[in-house]
Amino acid sequence: MICVSIGRTRHKMVLAEIQEAAKRGAQLIELRLDFLARAPDFKRLLADKPCPMVATARRIQDGGRWARSEEERLMLLRQAIVGGFDWVDLETDIAERIPRFRHVKRIVSYHNLREFPDDLEEIHMRMSNQDADVIKLAVRAMHPADNIRVLELVQRSRQPTVAFCVGDLGTLSRILAGRFGAPFTYAAFNKERGIAPGILSFDEMRAIYRYDHITPRTRIFAVIGDPVAHSLSPVIHNGAFRTLGLDCVYLPVRIPRGDLEESLQALDRLPVEGYSVTIPHKEAAARLARQRDSRVDAIGAANTLVRASDGGFAAYNTDAPAAVESLLFALAQIEDPPRIAGKSVLILGAGGAARAVAFGLHQAGALLTITNRTPERAQELAAAIGCRVVDWAARHAVTADIVVNCTSVGMHPHVDESPLHVSFLRPGLVVFDIVYNPENTLLVKQARERGCHVLTGVDMFVRQALLQFKHFTGQEAPRDLMEKLVRRALSPVKWSEEEFFA
């Protein structure tokens, strides 16, 4: 079950969101009384309650907005208890000051948005003696392994417990809470309201992750990177699982640079069966895998890890074939037959994605030039491929038939940046930007305006995902669906769950 958290300053908007959440299937709703600009009118707020309601008035130090006195807050909570709420949320330090009243259930909570407490289990043990119907712990994840610790605490607990990590490192603990025995998890009706750091929306939890369908038998896959919140991989992989009727879930997991091996060891306890690997871990993923396909050995970078029979990982690179297929598809629109061999290609970047693209195009016979903001990396890649390298400052002096942007320049949220000056763009030049979020980067927009032939990152993104899906499941993914979901996710249109996956 998902507890939908609603926080608005005006009663009118609170009531509107209550009714809309109910239409979308909410079974439990939390009203954040600390958001209200004036004293709550319980009679009005609860007149037509569609499901059980939780009263919460969160203090600033606990991540809320309550700025008035503590005595006023305690009085408000007591009034909420007698005013018709079904549940009340009481922080552990005040729980014993407000006794149980009639049928109203008690959530006894602990919030630490600054750090992950070393004595988490001891805190939980003390809270188990505070007459709670549900114990709630929300703590700041400092490392991906912290998610495993809170989930295992939920699993071991003899009392119903909701425990998760806040912040972008804690997303997986929110999504997998029910799998480990939590009676419910939290989602925001509108996460843009600033309900809590890292909280997902009710629509995301239901439509993308299908929270209520996750069980202990559900197979787990993930995308790992830093950053990773912008990734649309969960949208397309979960959409494919849903369409094919597979009991699987695909999660976004942020792993900071340098933490890959330790984090994967911790995530083994879930366990995760396969990973999509993105910036900055592609080269590290290739090194730690026990088994590597020929492309990974040649490129030195992997974008796919799959659990092998020996318990380690098998590494694959689906970026290289996806890049070649995408470019051939684009060239087919302007020449027959399409040809990469003999064409001059300028590759911007020298990271894991650039290595894969360079390898694939070199194998196809392209004449490559590599440039990168860190010249040492460009020189290393050029030496490995056997091609030309130029300094980043000299990139505009290169004559090329095709330019491929493999940097993160232009990626969300830095959408006003481009890796090339507009003067470099000329009619007839093929411009391939592998960034897909946003699809229409500044480079793509300017290239179109200057008469270039343009290929966006969506095509390559979908093609590499199709190959990953086959490695993960052994099945073919629905390509048309994946492409449609990417474009719908990138569009400004708000889709209902049924419309989005139709």
Side-chain angles (χ1 to χ4, degrees):
M1 181 167 61
I2 300 170
C3 180
V4 183
S5 190
I6 292 175
R8 299 300 296 258
T9 57
R10 298 170 56 201
H11 284 63
K12 180 180 179 181
M13 297 308 299
V14 171
L15 288 167
E17 291 193 357
I18 289 173
Q19 295 308 315
E20 186 59 32
K23 288 179 184 176
R24 299 185 193 181
Q27 298 173 282
L28 182 65
I29 294 176
E30 176 190 52
L31 294 192
R32 288 290 299 273
L33 304 178
D34 50 301
F35 274 64
L36 288 169
R38 59 184 178 85
D41 182 343
F42 295 141
K43 189 172 183 180
R44 181 183 176 192
L45 291 173
L46 302 175
D48 298 306
K49 63 179 180 180
C51 63
M53 309 285 280
V54 182
T56 299
R58 190 77 65 220
R59 299 170 296 199
I60 291 174
Q61 65 263 35
D62 296 316
R65 297 190 179 185
W66 184 267
R68 298 192 291 278
S69 75
E70 182 68 352
E71 287 306 314
E72 288 179 280
R73 190 176 77 96
L74 297 183
M75 179 60 70
L76 177 64
L77 289 169
R78 293 186 182 102
Q79 291 170 344
I81 290 172
V82 300
F85 279 88
D86 307 276
W87 292 76
V88 63
D89 186 311
L90 305 170
E91 293 84 1
T92 180
D93 62 316
I94 68 160
E96 291 163 20
R97 297 172 61 184
I98 300 181
R100 183 178 291 275
F101 179 80
R102 293 182 182 170
H103 63 278
V104 179
K105 295 183 178 180
R106 292 159 54 93
I107 299 170
V108 175
S109 63
Y110 169 83
H111 295 79
N112 190 332
L113 307 189
R114 301 171 302 281
E115 61 186 359
F116 192 98
D118 291 335
D119 59 342
L120 183 71
E121 289 77 13
E122 288 76 10
I123 292 170
H124 179 267
M125 187 177 298
R126 290 195 298 271
M127 294 170 69
S128 67
N129 296 316
Q130 292 187 298
D131 192 23
D133 293 286
V134 170
I135 297 172
K136 175 191 175 188
L137 300 106
V139 294
R140 170 73 63 175
M142 310 305 290
H143 187 276
D146 293 336
N147 291 280
I148 311 304
R149 187 169 165 188
V150 298
L151 290 172
E152 290 179 343
L153 174 62
V154 170
Q155 192 172 49
R156 292 192 307 268
S157 177
R158 296 181 179 180
Q159 274 189 275
T161 297
V162 176
F164 54 85
C165 293
V166 300
D168 59 357
L169 278 173
T171 301
L172 76 90
S173 63
R174 292 181 180 274
I175 298 171
L176 296 181
R179 175 189 172 102
F180 283 79
F184 51 83
T185 192
Y186 287 83
F189 179 80
N190 184 337
K191 67 178 183 180
E192 277 68 44
R193 304 306 301 176
I195 296 291
I199 195 168
L200 296 170
S201 72
F202 184 42
D203 286 345
E204 287 174 315
M205 292 289 277
R206 292 175 66 247
I208 297 176
Y209 300 104
R210 303 183 74 214
Y211 176 85
D212 289 324
H213 294 271
I214 299 173
T215 73
R217 297 182 300 277
T218 301
R219 300 170 63 194
I220 302 173
F221 300 90
V223 55
I224 52 177
D226 187 16
V228 77
H230 69 283
S231 175
L232 296 183
S233 292
V235 173
I236 62 174
H237 282 281
N238 284 317
F241 292 150
R242 173 178 178 151
T243 297
L244 297 178
L246 301 179
D247 186 11
C248 305
V249 66
Y250 183 103
L251 313 173
V253 179
R254 183 170 84 83
I255 297 179
R257 185 185 295 272
D259 285 346
L260 182 62
E261 187 169 5
E262 183 181 351
S263 297
L264 295 189
Q265 289 174 354
L267 295 171
D268 280 350
R269 283 142 59 186
L270 289 176
V272 180
E273 296 187 29
Y275 294 97
S276 303
V277 184
T278 186
I279 297 171
H281 300 304
K282 293 186 177 185
E283 292 162 85
R287 290 192 297 269
L288 68 81
R290 296 180 187 175
Q291 303 174 33
R292 292 177 289 274
D293 72 359
S294 59
R295 287 194 186 96
V296 173
D297 280 331
I299 298 167
N303 75 327
T304 309
L305 293 175
V306 180
R307 182 73 58 191
S309 57
D310 64 359
F313 285 104
Y316 304 91
N317 194 300
T318 68
D319 282 334
V324 172
E325 290 172 13
S326 292
L327 194 51
L328 285 172
F329 174 77
L331 291 172
Q333 315 307 309
I334 57 178
E335 63 183 28
D336 185 20
R339 178 179 56 85
I340 292 174
K343 285 189 166 64
S344 298
V345 180
L346 173 63
I347 293 183
L348 308 174
R355 295 183 74 88
V357 172
F359 172 84
L361 297 184
H362 177 71
Q363 291 289 97
L367 307 175
L368 302 182
T369 300
I370 308 292
T371 186
N372 190 56
R373 288 167 291 186
T374 305
E376 295 78 13
R377 298 204 74 187
Q379 291 163 2
E380 177 190 349
L381 176 56
I385 295 291
C387 65
R388 182 181 172 215
V389 62
V390 299
D391 189 77
W392 182 256
R395 67 193 185 281
H396 294 105
V398 175
T399 300
D401 302 307
I402 301 169
V403 61
V404 186
N405 175 38
C406 298
T407 74
S408 59
V409 179
M411 182 185 293
H412 180 82
H414 306 293
V415 297
D416 296 324
E417 300 176 6
S418 172
L420 288 173
H421 191 274
V422 66
S423 62
F424 181 83
L425 306 172
R426 68 179 193 280
L429 177 68
V430 176
V431 176
F432 181 10
D433 192 343
I434 73 168
V435 171
Y436 70 86
N437 188 6
E439 179 177 11
N440 293 308
T441 62
L442 181 59
L443 173 60
V444 165
K445 292 175 184 176
Q446 292 178 336
R448 285 198 176 110
E449 290 169 357
R450 302 278 290 191
C452 301
H453 302 293
V454 175
L455 176 61
T456 73
V458 167
D459 191 76
M460 176 178 165
F461 175 62
V462 171
R463 290 178 189 274
Q464 63 82 30
L466 291 168
L467 296 170
Q468 286 184 332
F469 193 90
K470 184 69 177 289
H471 286 306
F472 290 156
T473 67
Q475 297 191 37
E476 301 289 342
R479 176 179 173 171
D480 289 347
L481 172 74
M482 280 190 166
E483 186 168 340
K484 178 173 66 176
L485 292 180
V486 172
R487 297 194 188 282
R488 286 185 175 179
L490 291 172
S491 78
V493 176
K494 289 188 177 290
W495 305 84
S496 69
E497 178 183 356
E498 292 74 17
E499 291 170 334
F500 191 87
F501 290 101

